[in-house]
Amino acid sequence: MKIGLLNLQGGIYEHIYLLKRAFVEEGINGEIIAVNGKNDLKEVDGIILPGGESTTIGTLLEKLDMVDSLRKFILDGHPTLGICAGAILMAKESIDFKVGRVDQPLLKVMNIRAVRNYFGRQRSSFETLLKIKLLDDKPFRAIFIRAPIFEIIDGEVEALATLNNKIVCAREKNMLITSFHPELTNDTRIHRLFINMFR
Ligand code: GLN
């Protein structure tokens, strides 16, 4: 199993650390490959789109002429984990909670509308314990940093966790998204859930 990590902006090493542990825990011989351009997509079976700033990552994807190939890669069914800004990029629509519509490059692969910065600015970052469907009963320590919430705009999306009745974790076919940052915890369960989507 070769997992790609989009390497344009945002947390990379934290994902590598958790993925390596998740491979051991799941008994999988996995490899992690940095994805710096569209040719790298040929080398991987699935991909993680990390958090950061979705407008910046989107602009970099455009500059690298990667939007169409990454879009096709995901629509072809390769397991994809989008974290925060990564999840926003996967959305068919995005709006900013305060500003409303902002034109930004999106991959438009998932039937959700991302409402960006829903919980406020950097200084409003927080953590909370979340119950997440498909994981065991133990609550997940979820870290929210300028995080979005997601609204379903078509039928096949399954909400996996909500906070104040807003969706913060969801799945659709080969796509899994969180608005919080599992890579900033010691908890491998989201990464293990992702790894199991390859089986
Ligand atoms: N607010 C950022 C955005 O809109 C996402 C923040 C994050 O990834 N932690 O892209």
Side-chain angles (χ1 to χ4, degrees), residues 165-190:
N165 290 319
K166 300 293 181 189
I167 300 169
V168 291
C169 179
R171 183 174 70 163
E172 180 182 18
K173 297 184 194 148
N174 55 313
M175 298 173 272
L176 176 65
I177 53 169
T178 69
S179 68
F180 52 89
H181 286 265
E183 80 282 8
L184 298 181
T185 69
N186 265 322
D187 198 327
T188 54
R189 284 179 294 166
I190 291 283

mmCIF file of all heavy atoms in Angstrom, residues 165-190:
data_model
loop_
_atom_site.group_PDB
_atom_site.id
_atom_site.type_symbol
_atom_site.label_atom_id
_atom_site.label_comp_id
_atom_site.label_asym_id
_atom_site.label_seq_id
_atom_site.Cartn_x
_atom_site.Cartn_y
_atom_site.Cartn_z
ATOM 1 N N ASN A 165 -24.527 20.088 16.244
ATOM 2 C CA ASN A 165 -25.388 19.719 15.101
ATOM 3 C C ASN A 165 -24.803 20.040 13.734
ATOM 4 O O ASN A 165 -25.519 19.990 12.736
ATOM 5 C CB ASN A 165 -26.769 20.377 15.208
ATOM 6 C CG ASN A 165 -27.575 19.777 16.331
ATOM 7 O OD1 ASN A 165 -27.548 18.561 16.528
ATOM 8 N ND2 ASN A 165 -28.247 20.620 17.093
ATOM 9 N N LYS A 166 -23.533 20.393 13.673
ATOM 10 C CA LYS A 166 -22.889 20.656 12.383
ATOM 11 C C LYS A 166 -21.920 19.511 12.076
ATOM 12 O O LYS A 166 -21.213 19.023 12.974
ATOM 13 C CB LYS A 166 -22.112 21.982 12.416
ATOM 14 C CG LYS A 166 -22.974 23.196 12.713
ATOM 15 C CD LYS A 166 -23.941 23.450 11.584
ATOM 16 C CE LYS A 166 -24.788 24.686 11.849
ATOM 17 N NZ LYS A 166 -25.868 24.827 10.870
ATOM 18 N N ILE A 167 -21.861 19.122 10.805
ATOM 19 C CA ILE A 167 -21.026 17.972 10.422
ATOM 20 C C ILE A 167 -19.549 18.371 10.423
ATOM 21 O O ILE A 167 -19.168 19.369 9.807
ATOM 22 C CB ILE A 167 -21.428 17.451 9.032
ATOM 23 C CG1 ILE A 167 -22.896 17.007 9.055
ATOM 24 C CG2 ILE A 167 -20.518 16.311 8.585
ATOM 25 C CD1 ILE A 167 -23.467 16.718 7.674
ATOM 26 N N VAL A 168 -18.736 17.576 11.131
ATOM 27 C CA VAL A 168 -17.290 17.862 11.184
ATOM 28 C C VAL A 168 -16.445 16.663 10.729
ATOM 29 O O VAL A 168 -15.218 16.736 10.727
ATOM 30 C CB VAL A 168 -16.857 18.315 12.601
ATOM 31 C CG1 VAL A 168 -17.444 19.698 12.921
ATOM 32 C CG2 VAL A 168 -17.258 17.309 13.674
ATOM 33 N N CYS A 169 -17.121 15.568 10.357
ATOM 34 C CA CYS A 169 -16.415 14.398 9.833
ATOM 35 C C CYS A 169 -17.427 13.662 8.960
ATOM 36 O O CYS A 169 -18.582 13.503 9.360
ATOM 37 C CB CYS A 169 -15.933 13.518 10.990
ATOM 38 S SG CYS A 169 -15.058 12.028 10.500
ATOM 39 N N ALA A 170 -17.012 13.269 7.758
ATOM 40 C CA ALA A 170 -17.974 12.637 6.853
ATOM 41 C C ALA A 170 -17.248 11.727 5.878
ATOM 42 O O ALA A 170 -16.026 11.803 5.709
ATOM 43 C CB ALA A 170 -18.760 13.701 6.082
ATOM 44 N N ARG A 171 -18.047 10.878 5.237
ATOM 45 C CA ARG A 171 -17.487 9.959 4.261
ATOM 46 C C ARG A 171 -18.424 9.885 3.051
ATOM 47 O O ARG A 171 -19.648 9.949 3.194
ATOM 48 C CB ARG A 171 -17.379 8.575 4.904
ATOM 49 C CG ARG A 171 -16.756 7.532 4.025
ATOM 50 C CD ARG A 171 -16.554 6.253 4.783
ATOM 51 N NE ARG A 171 -17.837 5.591 5.068
ATOM 52 C CZ ARG A 171 -17.950 4.324 5.427
ATOM 53 N NH1 ARG A 171 -16.882 3.582 5.586
ATOM 54 N NH2 ARG A 171 -19.123 3.784 5.669
ATOM 55 N N GLU A 172 -17.842 9.778 1.892
ATOM 56 C CA GLU A 172 -18.616 9.503 0.679
ATOM 57 C C GLU A 172 -17.758 8.608 -0.194
ATOM 58 O O GLU A 172 -16.655 8.992 -0.579
ATOM 59 C CB GLU A 172 -18.964 10.797 -0.070
ATOM 60 C CG GLU A 172 -19.777 10.544 -1.327
ATOM 61 C CD GLU A 172 -20.103 11.810 -2.128
ATOM 62 O OE1 GLU A 172 -19.428 12.839 -1.921
ATOM 63 O OE2 GLU A 172 -21.003 11.762 -2.955
ATOM 64 N N LYS A 173 -18.253 7.402 -0.457
ATOM 65 C CA LYS A 173 -17.498 6.419 -1.247
ATOM 66 C C LYS A 173 -16.053 6.312 -0.755
ATOM 67 O O LYS A 173 -15.800 5.979 0.378
ATOM 68 C CB LYS A 173 -17.555 6.788 -2.728
ATOM 69 C CG LYS A 173 -18.959 6.748 -3.295
ATOM 70 C CD LYS A 173 -18.898 7.035 -4.781
ATOM 71 C CE LYS A 173 -20.274 7.348 -5.324
ATOM 72 N NZ LYS A 173 -20.214 8.309 -6.429
ATOM 73 N N ASN A 174 -15.092 6.676 -1.624
ATOM 74 C CA ASN A 174 -13.659 6.549 -1.298
ATOM 75 C C ASN A 174 -13.108 7.774 -0.571
ATOM 76 O O ASN A 174 -11.904 7.896 -0.418
ATOM 77 C CB ASN A 174 -12.866 6.337 -2.590
ATOM 78 C CG ASN A 174 -13.137 7.448 -3.607
ATOM 79 O OD1 ASN A 174 -14.285 7.811 -3.844
ATOM 80 N ND2 ASN A 174 -12.089 8.007 -4.188
ATOM 81 N N MET A 175 -13.985 8.680 -0.136
ATOM 82 C CA MET A 175 -13.501 9.948 0.427
ATOM 83 C C MET A 175 -13.876 10.088 1.897
ATOM 84 O O MET A 175 -15.016 9.856 2.279
ATOM 85 C CB MET A 175 -14.102 11.117 -0.362
ATOM 86 C CG MET A 175 -13.679 11.108 -1.819
ATOM 87 S SD MET A 175 -14.542 12.376 -2.782
ATOM 88 C CE MET A 175 -16.019 11.497 -3.272
ATOM 89 N N LEU A 176 -12.891 10.462 2.702
ATOM 90 C CA LEU A 176 -13.101 10.664 4.135
ATOM 91 C C LEU A 176 -12.579 12.059 4.475
ATOM 92 O O LEU A 176 -11.490 12.441 4.032
ATOM 93 C CB LEU A 176 -12.306 9.591 4.901
ATOM 94 C CG LEU A 176 -12.280 9.641 6.424
ATOM 95 C CD1 LEU A 176 -13.671 9.394 7.012
ATOM 96 C CD2 LEU A 176 -11.313 8.574 6.963
ATOM 97 N N ILE A 177 -13.376 12.836 5.206
ATOM 98 C CA ILE A 177 -12.924 14.195 5.550
ATOM 99 C C ILE A 177 -13.130 14.478 7.033
ATOM 100 O O ILE A 177 -14.068 13.978 7.655
ATOM 101 C CB ILE A 177 -13.678 15.286 4.730
ATOM 102 C CG1 ILE A 177 -15.196 15.122 4.863
ATOM 103 C CG2 ILE A 177 -13.256 15.279 3.269
ATOM 104 C CD1 ILE A 177 -15.990 16.306 4.318
ATOM 105 N N THR A 178 -12.235 15.285 7.591
ATOM 106 C CA THR A 178 -12.426 15.780 8.951
ATOM 107 C C THR A 178 -12.155 17.279 8.934
ATOM 108 O O THR A 178 -11.283 17.754 8.199
ATOM 109 C CB THR A 178 -11.450 15.132 9.958
ATOM 110 O OG1 THR A 178 -10.118 15.582 9.695
ATOM 111 C CG2 THR A 178 -11.487 13.621 9.907
ATOM 112 N N SER A 179 -12.900 18.031 9.740
ATOM 113 C CA SER A 179 -12.587 19.457 9.831
ATOM 114 C C SER A 179 -11.580 19.706 10.943
ATOM 115 O O SER A 179 -11.015 20.783 11.042
ATOM 116 C CB SER A 179 -13.853 20.295 10.016
ATOM 117 O OG SER A 179 -14.417 20.053 11.251
ATOM 118 N N PHE A 180 -11.336 18.685 11.768
ATOM 119 C CA PHE A 180 -10.329 18.778 12.832
ATOM 120 C C PHE A 180 -9.046 18.084 12.388
ATOM 121 O O PHE A 180 -8.986 17.528 11.277
ATOM 122 C CB PHE A 180 -10.878 18.177 14.136
ATOM 123 C CG PHE A 180 -11.440 16.790 13.962
ATOM 124 C CD1 PHE A 180 -10.634 15.676 14.085
ATOM 125 C CD2 PHE A 180 -12.783 16.599 13.626
ATOM 126 C CE1 PHE A 180 -11.140 14.394 13.902
ATOM 127 C CE2 PHE A 180 -13.300 15.327 13.448
ATOM 128 C CZ PHE A 180 -12.473 14.227 13.581
ATOM 129 N N HIS A 181 -8.024 18.122 13.236
ATOM 130 C CA HIS A 181 -6.679 17.657 12.847
ATOM 131 C C HIS A 181 -6.255 16.407 13.625
ATOM 132 O O HIS A 181 -5.578 16.534 14.641
ATOM 133 C CB HIS A 181 -5.663 18.778 13.091
ATOM 134 C CG HIS A 181 -5.755 19.881 12.099
ATOM 135 N ND1 HIS A 181 -4.981 19.949 10.968
ATOM 136 C CD2 HIS A 181 -6.563 20.968 12.060
ATOM 137 C CE1 HIS A 181 -5.286 21.029 10.271
ATOM 138 N NE2 HIS A 181 -6.246 21.668 10.924
ATOM 139 N N PRO A 182 -6.605 15.218 13.139
ATOM 140 C CA PRO A 182 -6.207 13.993 13.857
ATOM 141 C C PRO A 182 -4.691 13.843 13.965
ATOM 142 O O PRO A 182 -4.183 13.219 14.897
ATOM 143 C CB PRO A 182 -6.823 12.860 13.025
ATOM 144 C CG PRO A 182 -7.113 13.447 11.701
ATOM 145 C CD PRO A 182 -7.357 14.908 11.915
ATOM 146 N N GLU A 183 -3.952 14.432 13.010
ATOM 147 C CA GLU A 183 -2.483 14.256 13.012
ATOM 148 C C GLU A 183 -1.827 15.019 14.152
ATOM 149 O O GLU A 183 -0.649 14.831 14.417
ATOM 150 C CB GLU A 183 -1.903 14.663 11.649
ATOM 151 C CG GLU A 183 -1.717 16.156 11.411
ATOM 152 C CD GLU A 183 -3.016 16.892 11.061
ATOM 153 O OE1 GLU A 183 -4.103 16.281 11.139
ATOM 154 O OE2 GLU A 183 -2.938 18.087 10.713
ATOM 155 N N LEU A 184 -2.584 15.889 14.825
ATOM 156 C CA LEU A 184 -1.991 16.630 15.949
ATOM 157 C C LEU A 184 -2.248 15.926 17.278
ATOM 158 O O LEU A 184 -1.950 16.471 18.340
ATOM 159 C CB LEU A 184 -2.546 18.061 15.997
ATOM 160 C CG LEU A 184 -2.245 18.917 14.762
ATOM 161 C CD1 LEU A 184 -2.806 20.324 14.920
ATOM 162 C CD2 LEU A 184 -0.737 18.991 14.507
ATOM 163 N N THR A 185 -2.815 14.725 17.217
ATOM 164 C CA THR A 185 -3.024 13.935 18.435
ATOM 165 C C THR A 185 -2.147 12.690 18.343
ATOM 166 O O THR A 185 -1.435 12.482 17.364
ATOM 167 C CB THR A 185 -4.491 13.478 18.558
ATOM 168 O OG1 THR A 185 -4.752 12.510 17.530
ATOM 169 C CG2 THR A 185 -5.457 14.637 18.396
ATOM 170 N N ASN A 186 -2.264 11.846 19.358
ATOM 171 C CA ASN A 186 -1.559 10.563 19.332
ATOM 172 C C ASN A 186 -2.477 9.446 18.879
ATOM 173 O O ASN A 186 -2.116 8.287 18.930
ATOM 174 C CB ASN A 186 -1.057 10.246 20.739
ATOM 175 C CG ASN A 186 0.366 10.690 20.900
ATOM 176 O OD1 ASN A 186 1.158 10.557 19.965
ATOM 177 N ND2 ASN A 186 0.691 11.228 22.063
ATOM 178 N N ASP A 187 -3.682 9.813 18.471
ATOM 179 C CA ASP A 187 -4.729 8.824 18.192
ATOM 180 C C ASP A 187 -4.672 8.422 16.722
ATOM 181 O O ASP A 187 -4.853 9.255 15.835
ATOM 182 C CB ASP A 187 -6.087 9.472 18.529
ATOM 183 C CG ASP A 187 -7.186 8.452 18.707
ATOM 184 O OD1 ASP A 187 -7.134 7.410 18.018
ATOM 185 O OD2 ASP A 187 -8.093 8.697 19.530
ATOM 186 N N THR A 188 -4.436 7.148 16.467
ATOM 187 C CA THR A 188 -4.275 6.688 15.079
ATOM 188 C C THR A 188 -5.599 6.252 14.447
ATOM 189 O O THR A 188 -5.614 5.789 13.301
ATOM 190 C CB THR A 188 -3.321 5.471 15.017
ATOM 191 O OG1 THR A 188 -3.813 4.478 15.910
ATOM 192 C CG2 THR A 188 -1.909 5.847 15.365
ATOM 193 N N ARG A 189 -6.724 6.391 15.157
ATOM 194 C CA ARG A 189 -7.947 5.726 14.675
ATOM 195 C C ARG A 189 -8.462 6.262 13.336
ATOM 196 O O ARG A 189 -8.961 5.499 12.517
ATOM 197 C CB ARG A 189 -9.043 5.791 15.746
ATOM 198 C CG ARG A 189 -8.785 4.786 16.880
ATOM 199 C CD ARG A 189 -9.840 4.876 17.937
ATOM 200 N NE ARG A 189 -9.793 6.169 18.622
ATOM 201 C CZ ARG A 189 -10.762 6.624 19.405
ATOM 202 N NH1 ARG A 189 -11.843 5.896 19.597
ATOM 203 N NH2 ARG A 189 -10.651 7.793 19.997
ATOM 204 N N ILE A 190 -8.352 7.582 13.101
ATOM 205 C CA ILE A 190 -8.813 8.102 11.802
ATOM 206 C C ILE A 190 -7.881 7.589 10.691
ATOM 207 O O ILE A 190 -8.341 7.165 9.628
ATOM 208 C CB ILE A 190 -8.834 9.650 11.810
ATOM 209 C CG1 ILE A 190 -9.946 10.154 12.733
ATOM 210 C CG2 ILE A 190 -8.980 10.215 10.396
ATOM 211 C CD1 ILE A 190 -11.355 10.066 12.172
#
